[in-house]
Amino acid sequence: MKKKDNDTEVPEKFGIKEFMKSLALSIVFVLLLTNFVVKPIRVNGSSMYPSLKDKEIGFSNILSYKVFGAKRFDVVIVYVDELKEYLVKRVIGLPGEIVEFKNDTLYIDHKAISQPFLSDIYMNSVKGYFNGIFTNSFGPVILGDDEVWLMGDNRP
């Protein structure tokens, strides 16, 4: 080590070998982190508005999903082969459940379920443009043992 005028130590040389070693370790760390712990994602579009906005960046907790699985109303990332892209959606129905929407009300197994994550102010402001409806009625849909029902928060 070389001494500077103010008595702080600085390395004499940082060679290419040390740089390559640091770079390789950094790449391995980032790959492990983004494949097994958290996955960065950029929201594309307005399907999750107002909860998430277009171009907003977030992280998906891969480790938690692998350990605990998806829970109702979790925000998840799903890869759609046909689109060749990742989408950000919310878990509405879980495996084996019956999902239905009637008159803007979510029913799971024929019981009305509150959706506290939806903004009442936003919903009421948009209903005027869609004949007073925020979520079109559909169902009942019976989910298989390996299926979940996903929807965006911006239903119209």
Side-chain angles (χ1 to χ4, degrees), residues 37-88:
V37 182
V38 295
K39 179 166 189 60
I41 187 75
R42 179 184 299 257
V43 177
N44 186 14
S46 61
S47 74
M48 286 298 292
Y49 185 84
S51 302
L52 300 172
K53 294 160 188 63
D54 187 30
K55 306 292 184 235
E56 192 170 347
I57 296 174
F59 292 91
S60 177
N61 188 338
I62 297 169
L63 188 59
S64 175
Y65 173 74
K66 290 194 185 276
V67 172
F68 301 110
K71 309 252 185 299
R72 184 177 331 282
F73 301 145
D74 281 354
V75 174
V76 297
I77 299 171
V78 60
Y79 185 77
V80 180
D81 286 326
E82 295 82 22
L83 301 174
K84 296 195 181 337
E85 71 176 301
Y86 288 94
L87 300 178
V88 180

Side-chain angles (χ1 to χ4, degrees), residues 79-131:
Y79 185 77
V80 180
D81 286 326
E82 295 82 22
L83 301 174
K84 296 195 181 337
E85 71 176 301
Y86 288 94
L87 300 178
V88 180
K89 298 294 177 191
R90 189 175 299 275
V91 176
I92 301 297
L94 298 170
E97 292 182 333
I98 301 170
V99 179
E100 185 173 15
F101 264 92
K102 280 195 266 182
N103 303 319
D104 267 341
T105 302
L106 167 64
Y107 293 90
I108 301 290
D109 295 334
H110 309 291
K111 294 180 191 165
I113 303 291
S114 171
Q115 300 175 83
F117 54 88
L118 291 177
S119 163
D120 288 334
I121 295 169
Y122 179 71
M123 284 176 31
N124 291 329
S125 72
V126 208
K127 283 181 177 184
Y129 298 103
F130 296 96
N131 299 322

